[in-house]
Amino acid sequence: MKKNTDEPIKILIIENNPGDLHRLIEEFKKTTYLDDIRFTGSAREAWKMICQLSVFNDMPRPNIIIFDFNTLRNKGGSEVLEKIIKEESIKCIPVVILTDLEDENELDNYQNCPNLFINKPKSDEEYKNVVKCIGEFWHNYAFK
């Protein structure tokens, strides 16, 4: 699938830490390529958002998903990620995993799923860099 590299990003952030979520949203709001940003702390709710089910049927489908690794490991997150990868209508949506794990053995369990792993930011400068990295990934590498 080829995309228009000037297409704005419709982002879904799956993050259960309100502080991290707020910082990400604030950094994305400063960009020129953001079209829509949605968020949830629940993997199950994210699935409904991605598939536009129930109360989310009018919500635009995201064209990039940012999944916090800790949220991924809790309450059905890995199942949702697996569904994203297997579901024909949505498997083309790039998935970015934010992680603070340094245990590569645990990360290996997910190596075939996400399109990009990024270390979870810890400072304001790192949040800016993460958002910049995701923007560059979107404009230069996604769907090419």
Side-chain angles (χ1 to χ4, degrees), residues 34-90:
L34 179 67
D35 181 47
D36 186 64
I37 191 163
R38 305 294 170 121
F39 54 89
T40 180
S42 160
R44 289 190 176 93
E45 185 174 72
W47 179 248
K48 291 177 184 177
M49 295 168 98
I50 294 163
C51 294
Q52 299 169 304
L53 302 173
S54 187
V55 297
F56 304 107
N57 65 345
D58 290 332
M59 184 180 120
R61 180 167 278 165
N63 49 23
I64 193 164
I65 299 168
I66 301 170
F67 215 139
D68 168 61
F69 193 78
N70 289 327
T71 308
L72 172 65
R73 294 185 340 195
N74 296 324
K75 297 182 183 173
S78 59
E79 291 87 7
V80 168
L81 182 59
E82 200 170 303
K83 287 180 183 180
I84 292 169
I85 301 307
K86 291 180 178 178
E87 179 66 39
E88 193 63 37
S89 64
I90 59 175

Side-chain angles (χ1 to χ4, degrees), residues 9 28 64 66 96 118 130-138:
I9 304 176
F28 273 111
I64 193 164
I66 301 170
V96 175
I118 299 178
V130 163
V131 168
K132 181 181 176 187
C133 180
I134 292 170
E136 288 174 0
F137 169 74
W138 173 252

